[in-house]
């Protein structure tokens, strides 16, 4: 099969790889779409070459099964990026991110993928392919899971700090839930995308101080919640100052130590600091229901490239010129 190999230093190639063979309880998927994720950019920019690629959001059609219970050839399926052991209590509940023996998808920027049945979700006929990628991958799952954890109410003011793909997903989700979204970024193109996805206010933090601007918009009250999608300590520290008393700071950008002043930033403001990692495949049906009720998931995708143009796809994505980018696999 053909697939993407990350060579390091922002170089990639399309190579020939051995076809995967489905193990017991697994299905072989002929992938149709694989989405690029911001979490792959570390590997893309690193000087270390990879044996394969870090793609993990995909959908396709079952071509062969090896002892699966419900799946059969011809079924359209979405692939979940986190695979649990399938046995433990968390896995029984469909919460693979909590499984101690979890593992990641072995690269989906390729024509074929062998995956355990429990990591696949059968897509209903009314779910188009592109929507299926977003509902089973993290493009919408992360914002959905975070929204459930935050519990925002219609009318709340929510600052989305950083509107890369995850920030854009949060903008879409929060707007759909009826909150007033303030999008903050340094990239005007992405701010414009945020507006199209429902953001009511745009702040380019290169030109305008977000704290002063949010103070203005909220007449001094500051936001109810700030969703940090940058993954930098200065951004997380700024999030504490963008929310008002009893506000919520949701950390979605992965990072290490951040020097939070517990007294000033948390305790004396009654602030809730939360983290949220990924989502549960068991939440898929709830997300599909939101799509059926009008959540315009498909708007998150701004670019599509055939597999052979994967280098261009990565370059555009890494330059911050896109929303969600899909690679389309050759038949
Ligand atoms: Zn991802
Ligand atoms: Zn498990």
């Amino acid at each position: 099969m053909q697939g993407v190999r990350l060579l390091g230093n922002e170089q990639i190639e399309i190579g020939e790889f051995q076809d995967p063979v489905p193990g017991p309880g697994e299905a072989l998927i002929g992938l149709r779409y694989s989405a690029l994720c911001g979490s792959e950019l570390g590997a893309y920019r690193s000087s270390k070459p990879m044996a394969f690629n870090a793609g993990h959001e995909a959908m396709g059609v079952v071509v062969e099964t090896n002892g699966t219970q419900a799946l059969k050839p011809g079924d359209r399926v979405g692939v979940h990026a986190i695979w649990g052991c399938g046995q433990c209590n968390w896995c029984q509940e469909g919460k693979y991110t909590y499984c101690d023996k979890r593992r990641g998808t072995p690269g989906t920027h390729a024509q074929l993928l062998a995956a355990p049945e429990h990591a696949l979700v059968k897509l209903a006929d009314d779910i188009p392919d592109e929507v299926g990628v977003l509902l089973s991958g993290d493009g919408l799952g992360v914002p959905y899971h975070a929204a459930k954890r935050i519990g925002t109410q219609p009318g709340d003011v929510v600052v989305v700090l950083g509107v890369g793909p995850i920030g854009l997903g949060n903008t879409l989700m929060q707007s759909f839930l009826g909150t007033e979204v303030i999008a903050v970024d340094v990239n005007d193109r992405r701010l414009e995308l945020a507006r199209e996805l429902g953001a009511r206010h745009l702040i380019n933090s290169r030109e305008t101080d977000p704290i002063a601007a949010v103070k203005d918009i909220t007449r001094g009250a500051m936001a109810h919640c700030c969703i940090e999608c940058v993954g930098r300590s200065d951004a997380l520290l700024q999030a504490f100052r963008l929310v008002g008393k009893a506000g919520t700071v949701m950390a979605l950008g992965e990072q290490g130590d951040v020097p939070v002043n517990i007294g000033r930033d948390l305790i004396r403001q009654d602030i809730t600091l939360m983290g949220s990692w990924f989502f549960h495949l068991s939440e898929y049906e709830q997300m599909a229901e939101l799509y059926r009720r009008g959540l315009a998931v498909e708007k998150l995708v701004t670019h599509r490239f055939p597999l052979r143009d994967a280098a261009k796809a990565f370059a555009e994505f890494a330059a911050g010129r896109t929303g969600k980018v899909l690679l389309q696999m050759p038949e």
Side-chain angles (χ1 to χ4, degrees):
M1 67 171 182
Q2 288 185 347
V4 169
R5 182 185 285 124
L6 296 191
L7 302 173
N9 298 315
E10 307 194 359
Q11 299 298 309
I12 72 166
E13 68 175 11
I14 311 297
E16 273 295 330
F17 297 87
Q18 206 154 35
D19 289 357
V21 178
E26 293 191 347
L28 183 67
I29 320 296
L31 295 174
R32 280 186 179 165
Y33 289 106
S34 182
L36 302 194
C37 176
S39 66
E40 296 173 58
L41 291 177
Y44 174 66
R45 291 176 175 137
S46 145
S47 56
K48 273 210 302 227
M50 272 183 88
F52 196 33
N53 64 73
H56 55 268
E57 302 176 41
M59 67 74 59
V61 177
V62 175
V63 290
E64 187 188 321
T65 57
N66 182 357
T68 56
Q69 307 212 316
L71 285 180
K72 51 183 192 325
D75 285 344
R76 279 186 327 129
V77 290
V79 181
H80 193 53
I82 308 289
W83 299 359
C85 70
Q87 311 290 327
C88 71
N89 288 344
W90 291 123
C91 283
Q92 297 298 318
E93 290 180 28
K95 296 176 178 172
Y96 310 141
T97 55
Y98 297 166
C99 174
D100 291 330
K101 293 181 188 152
R102 66 172 185 262
R103 59 196 165 115
T105 316
T108 56
H109 303 324
Q111 286 178 291
L112 293 167
L113 175 78
E117 183 173 23
H118 69 259
L120 300 168
V121 60
K122 198 170 160 179
L123 301 174
D125 290 344
D126 64 339
I127 304 292
D129 287 355
E130 294 194 359
V131 171
V133 178
L134 296 165
L135 292 184
S136 54
D138 25 324
L140 196 76
V142 170
Y144 178 71
H145 190 65
K148 265 183 35 181
R149 305 234 25 236
I150 299 165
T152 44
Q153 300 296 315
D156 280 0
V157 176
V158 175
V159 176
V160 179
L161 204 48
V163 283
I166 287 293
L168 290 172
N170 278 284
T171 300
L172 176 74
M173 179 59 69
Q174 291 296 327
S175 307
F176 182 76
L177 295 174
T179 71
E180 184 175 342
V181 172
I182 304 173
V184 182
D185 205 291
V186 295
N187 180 328
D188 279 327
R189 190 182 295 229
R190 283 192 158 156
L191 284 170
E192 218 27 71
L193 285 173
R195 187 199 297 282
E196 285 166 28
L197 295 169
R200 293 257 284 278
H201 313 271
L202 309 179
I203 300 172
N204 185 324
S205 52
R206 246 189 213 136
E207 297 154 7
T208 310
D209 171 25
I211 293 169
V214 170
K215 202 171 191 171
D216 230 31
I217 292 165
T218 59
R219 291 193 212 89
M222 305 309 282
H224 295 90
C225 172
C226 178
I227 305 176
E228 198 284 319
C229 308
V230 179
R232 278 208 333 246
S233 61
D234 55 335
L236 187 65
L237 292 172
Q238 189 174 58
F240 286 104
R241 301 184 55 208
L242 288 166
V243 297
K245 310 275 184 201
T248 300
V249 172
M250 168 55 87
L252 290 184
E254 294 257 14
Q255 57 178 310
D257 297 344
V258 179
V260 176
N261 183 312
I262 298 298
R264 182 197 62 205
D265 296 335
L266 277 179
I267 296 177
R268 294 188 202 170
Q269 314 287 333
D270 263 7
I271 299 291
T272 304
L273 170 62
M274 285 183 177
S276 175
W277 190 54
F278 223 73
F279 71 105
H280 302 313
L281 193 58
S282 49
E283 290 168 324
Y284 167 82
E285 269 309 326
Q286 299 157 27
M287 291 190 280
E289 213 35 56
L290 293 186
Y291 167 72
R292 292 180 180 116
R293 278 169 33 205
L295 180 68
V297 180
E298 65 283 357
K299 279 191 178 172
L300 290 172
V301 177
T302 58
H303 292 69
R304 299 151 186 88
F305 293 90
L307 179 66
R308 63 173 183 275
D309 292 336
K312 193 167 173 221
F314 268 90
E316 288 293 304
F317 184 63
R321 287 193 283 266
T322 70
K324 208 72 183 156
V325 175
L326 298 184
L327 295 179
Q328 189 168 15
M329 301 306 153
E331 291 276 321

PDB file of all heavy atoms in Angstrom, residues 36-40 56-57 81 137-139 142 166 278 324, ligand 1:
ATOM      1  N   LEU A  36      -5.232  15.693   8.952  1.00  0.00           N
ATOM      2  CA  LEU A  36      -4.015  16.139   9.626  1.00  0.00           C
ATOM      3  C   LEU A  36      -4.408  16.739  10.968  1.00  0.00           C
ATOM      4  O   LEU A  36      -5.432  17.405  11.086  1.00  0.00           O
ATOM      5  CB  LEU A  36      -3.271  17.199   8.801  1.00  0.00           C
ATOM      6  CG  LEU A  36      -2.839  16.814   7.393  1.00  0.00           C
ATOM      7  CD1 LEU A  36      -1.836  17.852   6.869  1.00  0.00           C
ATOM      8  CD2 LEU A  36      -2.227  15.437   7.343  1.00  0.00           C
ATOM      9  N   CYS A  37      -3.574  16.497  11.974  1.00  0.00           N
ATOM     10  CA  CYS A  37      -3.847  16.986  13.332  1.00  0.00           C
ATOM     11  C   CYS A  37      -2.651  17.807  13.797  1.00  0.00           C
ATOM     12  O   CYS A  37      -1.500  17.471  13.500  1.00  0.00           O
ATOM     13  CB  CYS A  37      -4.078  15.804  14.260  1.00  0.00           C
ATOM     14  SG  CYS A  37      -4.311  16.269  15.988  1.00  0.00           S
ATOM     15  N   GLY A  38      -2.929  18.870  14.533  1.00  0.00           N
ATOM     16  CA  GLY A  38      -1.859  19.719  15.064  1.00  0.00           C
ATOM     17  C   GLY A  38      -0.843  18.944  15.885  1.00  0.00           C
ATOM     18  O   GLY A  38       0.335  19.299  15.933  1.00  0.00           O
ATOM     19  N   SER A  39      -1.282  17.853  16.504  1.00  0.00           N
ATOM     20  CA  SER A  39      -0.366  17.066  17.334  1.00  0.00           C
ATOM     21  C   SER A  39       0.707  16.360  16.505  1.00  0.00           C
ATOM     22  O   SER A  39       1.673  15.849  17.040  1.00  0.00           O
ATOM     23  CB  SER A  39      -1.156  16.038  18.150  1.00  0.00           C
ATOM     24  OG  SER A  39      -1.739  15.077  17.297  1.00  0.00           O
ATOM     25  N   GLU A  40       0.543  16.345  15.181  1.00  0.00           N
ATOM     26  CA  GLU A  40       1.559  15.703  14.331  1.00  0.00           C
ATOM     27  C   GLU A  40       2.700  16.647  13.984  1.00  0.00           C
ATOM     28  O   GLU A  40       3.727  16.230  13.452  1.00  0.00           O
ATOM     29  CB  GLU A  40       0.928  15.247  13.010  1.00  0.00           C
ATOM     30  CG  GLU A  40      -0.134  14.185  13.145  1.00  0.00           C
ATOM     31  CD  GLU A  40      -0.794  13.935  11.804  1.00  0.00           C
ATOM     32  OE1 GLU A  40      -0.095  13.583  10.849  1.00  0.00           O
ATOM     33  OE2 GLU A  40      -2.015  14.114  11.700  1.00  0.00           O
ATOM     34  N   HIS A  56      -3.935   9.875  12.751  1.00  0.00           N
ATOM     35  CA  HIS A  56      -4.772   9.103  13.683  1.00  0.00           C
ATOM     36  C   HIS A  56      -6.251   9.467  13.612  1.00  0.00           C
ATOM     37  O   HIS A  56      -7.019   9.143  14.494  1.00  0.00           O
ATOM     38  CB  HIS A  56      -4.246   9.289  15.113  1.00  0.00           C
ATOM     39  CG  HIS A  56      -4.149  10.734  15.515  1.00  0.00           C
ATOM     40  ND1 HIS A  56      -2.998  11.480  15.354  1.00  0.00           N
ATOM     41  CD2 HIS A  56      -5.054  11.580  16.039  1.00  0.00           C
ATOM     42  CE1 HIS A  56      -3.209  12.714  15.760  1.00  0.00           C
ATOM     43  NE2 HIS A  56      -4.455  12.803  16.182  1.00  0.00           N
ATOM     44  N   GLU A  57      -6.650  10.205  12.574  1.00  0.00           N
ATOM     45  CA  GLU A  57      -8.073  10.551  12.423  1.00  0.00           C
ATOM     46  C   GLU A  57      -8.472  10.127  11.020  1.00  0.00           C
ATOM     47  O   GLU A  57      -8.016  10.725  10.054  1.00  0.00           O
ATOM     48  CB  GLU A  57      -8.274  12.066  12.556  1.00  0.00           C
ATOM     49  CG  GLU A  57      -7.778  12.631  13.865  1.00  0.00           C
ATOM     50  CD  GLU A  57      -7.922  14.144  13.907  1.00  0.00           C
ATOM     51  OE1 GLU A  57      -8.954  14.659  13.447  1.00  0.00           O
ATOM     52  OE2 GLU A  57      -7.004  14.812  14.382  1.00  0.00           O
ATOM     53  N   ALA A  81      -8.782   7.232  17.537  1.00  0.00           N
ATOM     54  CA  ALA A  81      -7.321   7.349  17.598  1.00  0.00           C
ATOM     55  C   ALA A  81      -6.704   6.603  18.771  1.00  0.00           C
ATOM     56  O   ALA A  81      -5.533   6.259  18.740  1.00  0.00           O
ATOM     57  CB  ALA A  81      -6.923   8.816  17.666  1.00  0.00           C
ATOM     58  N   GLY A 137     -12.772  11.222  14.818  1.00  0.00           N
ATOM     59  CA  GLY A 137     -11.430  11.709  15.132  1.00  0.00           C
ATOM     60  C   GLY A 137     -11.512  12.825  16.151  1.00  0.00           C
ATOM     61  O   GLY A 137     -12.574  13.084  16.702  1.00  0.00           O
ATOM     62  N   ASP A 138     -10.393  13.509  16.386  1.00  0.00           N
ATOM     63  CA  ASP A 138     -10.418  14.496  17.474  1.00  0.00           C
ATOM     64  C   ASP A 138     -10.878  15.885  17.030  1.00  0.00           C
ATOM     65  O   ASP A 138     -11.031  16.774  17.859  1.00  0.00           O
ATOM     66  CB  ASP A 138      -9.105  14.600  18.233  1.00  0.00           C
ATOM     67  CG  ASP A 138      -7.881  14.169  17.435  1.00  0.00           C
ATOM     68  OD1 ASP A 138      -7.999  13.225  16.648  1.00  0.00           O
ATOM     69  OD2 ASP A 138      -6.826  14.772  17.613  1.00  0.00           O
ATOM     70  N   GLY A 139     -11.109  16.091  15.722  1.00  0.00           N
ATOM     71  CA  GLY A 139     -11.502  17.419  15.249  1.00  0.00           C
ATOM     72  C   GLY A 139     -12.703  17.967  15.985  1.00  0.00           C
ATOM     73  O   GLY A 139     -12.768  19.141  16.341  1.00  0.00           O
ATOM     74  N   VAL A 142     -12.597  16.361  20.662  1.00  0.00           N
ATOM     75  CA  VAL A 142     -11.942  17.108  21.744  1.00  0.00           C
ATOM     76  C   VAL A 142     -12.820  18.279  22.203  1.00  0.00           C
ATOM     77  O   VAL A 142     -13.086  18.424  23.399  1.00  0.00           O
ATOM     78  CB  VAL A 142     -10.534  17.578  21.302  1.00  0.00           C
ATOM     79  CG1 VAL A 142      -9.944  18.558  22.309  1.00  0.00           C
ATOM     80  CG2 VAL A 142      -9.620  16.369  21.134  1.00  0.00           C
ATOM     81  N   ILE A 166      -8.037  22.847  16.734  1.00  0.00           N
ATOM     82  CA  ILE A 166      -8.757  22.534  17.976  1.00  0.00           C
ATOM     83  C   ILE A 166      -9.509  23.766  18.482  1.00  0.00           C
ATOM     84  O   ILE A 166     -10.657  23.681  18.931  1.00  0.00           O
ATOM     85  CB  ILE A 166      -7.779  21.981  19.040  1.00  0.00           C
ATOM     86  CG1 ILE A 166      -7.356  20.557  18.663  1.00  0.00           C
ATOM     87  CG2 ILE A 166      -8.387  22.004  20.443  1.00  0.00           C
ATOM     88  CD1 ILE A 166      -8.459  19.521  18.727  1.00  0.00           C
ATOM     89  N   PHE A 278      -8.712  14.385  24.907  1.00  0.00           N
ATOM     90  CA  PHE A 278      -9.377  13.604  23.885  1.00  0.00           C
ATOM     91  C   PHE A 278     -10.867  13.435  24.166  1.00  0.00           C
ATOM     92  O   PHE A 278     -11.510  14.312  24.712  1.00  0.00           O
ATOM     93  CB  PHE A 278      -8.648  12.256  23.780  1.00  0.00           C
ATOM     94  CG  PHE A 278      -8.470  11.870  22.359  1.00  0.00           C
ATOM     95  CD1 PHE A 278      -7.550  12.536  21.569  1.00  0.00           C
ATOM     96  CD2 PHE A 278      -9.248  10.879  21.807  1.00  0.00           C
ATOM     97  CE1 PHE A 278      -7.423  12.206  20.244  1.00  0.00           C
ATOM     98  CE2 PHE A 278      -9.107  10.541  20.482  1.00  0.00           C
ATOM     99  CZ  PHE A 278      -8.189  11.199  19.708  1.00  0.00           C
ATOM    100  N   LYS A 324      -9.108  22.412   9.219  1.00  0.00           N
ATOM    101  CA  LYS A 324      -8.798  20.988   9.174  1.00  0.00           C
ATOM    102  C   LYS A 324      -8.466  20.598   7.733  1.00  0.00           C
ATOM    103  O   LYS A 324      -9.136  21.022   6.791  1.00  0.00           O
ATOM    104  CB  LYS A 324     -10.031  20.234   9.676  1.00  0.00           C
ATOM    105  CG  LYS A 324      -9.746  18.924  10.319  1.00  0.00           C
ATOM    106  CD  LYS A 324      -9.103  19.009  11.675  1.00  0.00           C
ATOM    107  CE  LYS A 324      -8.784  17.612  12.199  1.00  0.00           C
ATOM    108  NZ  LYS A 324      -7.704  17.625  13.182  1.00  0.00           N
TER     109      LYS A 324
HETATM  110 ZN1  LIG B   1      -5.281  14.487  16.805  1.00  0.00          ZN
END
